[in-house]
Amino acid sequence: MEDMEKPTQDKEEEEKKEETKEGPEKRPGKHVKAQEPLKAAERLKLVEAELDKKTTEARKDHDRFLRKCAELENYKKRIEKET
């Protein structure tokens, strides 16, 4: 009879050990929730900064493209006049 009870006790002990191994990341608590918005806000700032950088880069590239298009059109017109 003791043999039958022992495996269930072992399972319960293992489950308790697993629960304690989870740590604060797995178990919700006030301290975890307080840190999450800060991390999200920091990530948001980084993403916004990167977006601004890429937007500026895209505007410069677009401006260069338009200038090259204008140069090409001017070249075409000049060639037509010369011929």
Side-chain angles (χ1 to χ4, degrees):
M1 191 106 150
E2 286 182 26
D3 292 335
M4 294 181 88
E5 289 179 15
K6 194 169 188 176
T8 57
Q9 286 178 342
D10 289 340
K11 286 181 184 178
E12 289 175 3
E13 288 176 12
E14 286 178 28
E15 289 174 2
K16 286 181 184 177
K17 286 180 183 176
E18 289 297 319
E19 288 175 6
T20 56
K21 285 182 184 178
E22 289 178 353
E25 304 83 31
K26 301 278 183 169
R27 288 181 273 149
K30 292 180 183 176
H31 63 282
V32 174
K33 289 182 182 177
Q35 290 177 355
E36 287 176 3
L38 292 176
K39 289 181 181 178
E42 290 173 3
R43 287 180 55 209
L44 180 61
K45 286 180 183 178
L46 291 173
V47 170
E48 286 176 340
E50 189 174 342
L51 177 63
D52 289 341
K53 181 179 174 183
K54 295 295 182 180
T55 301
T56 302
E57 187 179 326
R59 285 186 180 139
K60 287 180 182 179
D61 289 343
H62 185 253
D63 185 54
R64 268 185 261 148
F65 169 74
L66 292 176
R67 288 178 186 275
K68 292 295 179 183
C69 287
E71 286 178 19
L72 180 61
E73 287 299 315
N74 291 338
Y75 176 76
K76 286 179 183 179
K77 290 176 185 176
R78 190 171 53 238
I79 293 299
E80 281 183 24
K81 284 182 183 177
E82 292 177 2
T83 57

